[in-house]
Amino acid sequence: MSRVSVWLALFGAASAPCAAMAQGAQVTPNLGAVQGEGTLQDNDGNSGTWSIDALLSGGDFTGTGAATIRGVTVRGPLAKGGSFYENGRCHFRIEEGRYRVEIGGPCTTTSIDGHAGGFVAGNTIVGSAKGVLKFGKAGAGPAAPKAVALPTAKLTCAWMERVGGVVAGDLPNYQLRMSNMVTLTLSPNGTYRTNSASGSFVREGDRIRLTSGAFAGAVGRLQPDRSGQPAVYFEREENRRANGVHIVDPGRTACTVAR
């Protein structure tokens, strides 16, 4: 697996910027179905994307959303009390477990341009967000999550180590590190194999939990990599033992098909 491939798997570039936003009308509290998408930028220079599929009724947004920033995708329901329209501003709060991404700012029936915030994989997000909004689309609203395929091919696992950036004026850089797993192969019968270990796992929705072997206790998220191929991601915060020691690697681990 090339360094470029792993870099894209971990910190894939944001999708193309949204199209230029035309002048829209004022939003009202009961406009109904709405879909939106756009881009994020945090104050550390990391780019990302966001999307929502919801209903606006009584000033509250209900539905689902997804946001990707710092190589992590947060996908889940729009939080009650944190997703609303008020005084010409739209607010969307997407939550998944301990992670959250918040988008808010002045909005019209065609656009939003404001701020981004939240907490993702141990990092506090502070930055900006913008995008397009489309009201009145049929079929918008809470959508059933799509099942994520279980990858059964041999995956190559790696993580990015942050070097520097702890002293003012010293910009951080990231260096590719091979995972302690090296490779990961999952079997439909509930067993896994790494370069030098093996054991069992159970599937819990779009996650797997390794239940035996050297990596017992590790939790992997099933989601496609940047090329759309099935992959497994082990988040740092979900892979620590009771004493705080990491189970897989000290950082976010991406197990993807070698290219």
Side-chain angles (χ1 to χ4, degrees):
M1 189 179 201
S2 71
R3 288 175 178 265
V4 172
S5 297
V6 174
W7 176 265
L8 289 174
L10 286 162
F11 303 100
S15 61
C18 355
M21 293 175 278
Q23 184 72 26
Q26 180 178 344
V27 176
T28 57
N30 294 288
L31 275 185
V34 56
Q35 294 175 321
E37 62 181 2
T39 57
L40 305 171
Q41 183 83 28
D42 71 14
N43 289 347
D44 292 326
N46 298 291
S47 298
T49 60
W50 64 270
S51 64
I52 59 102
D53 187 1
L55 291 168
L56 175 58
S57 178
D60 293 319
F61 289 104
T62 57
T64 58
T68 299
I69 188 74
R70 290 180 176 264
V72 178
T73 297
V74 180
R75 181 180 290 105
L78 297 179
K80 183 177 181 180
S83 303
F84 57 92
Y85 170 76
E86 187 175 70
N87 297 328
R89 302 172 68 90
C90 295
H91 299 269
F92 308 112
R93 180 182 172 117
I94 305 164
E95 295 182 344
E96 183 180 8
R98 297 170 57 191
Y99 297 166
R100 68 181 187 279
V101 174
E102 301 161 3
I103 299 161
C107 63
T108 69
T109 54
T110 59
S111 67
I112 181 171
D113 194 344
H115 70 272
F119 177 79
V120 174
N123 298 292
T124 298
I125 303 299
V126 178
S128 61
K130 62 181 179 180
V132 295
L133 298 176
K134 298 179 181 179
F135 282 87
K137 295 295 182 183
K146 296 180 179 179
V148 179
L150 180 75
T152 55
K154 179 183 285 190
L155 307 176
T156 299
C157 304
W159 61 287
M160 302 300 294
E161 181 179 15
R162 176 172 172 157
V163 180
V166 296
V167 178
D170 180 22
L171 296 177
N173 63 80
Y174 293 85
Q175 296 181 4
L176 179 67
R177 302 291 187 232
M178 211 65 190
S179 169
N180 291 331
M181 287 182 163
V182 184
T183 62
L184 174 66
T185 305
L186 302 175
S187 172
N189 66 7
T191 60
Y192 76 89
R193 185 174 67 257
T194 69
N195 191 56
S196 58
S198 62
S200 299
F201 74 89
V202 294
R203 179 164 183 170
E204 302 169 346
D206 289 345
R207 288 177 169 85
I208 60 168
R209 183 181 300 275
L210 308 188
T211 56
S212 66
F215 297 98
V219 175
R221 295 183 178 222
L222 302 174
Q223 63 184 70
D225 65 14
R226 294 297 174 182
S227 70
Q229 293 294 316
V232 184
Y233 294 86
F234 294 89
E235 307 292 347
R236 180 181 62 185
E237 296 301 319
E238 296 178 323
N239 287 281
R240 291 183 179 178
R241 303 187 191 280
N243 60 3
V245 176
H246 60 272
I247 301 175
V248 182
D249 299 304
R252 182 183 196 242
T253 301
C255 294
T256 61
V257 177
R259 291 183 294 278

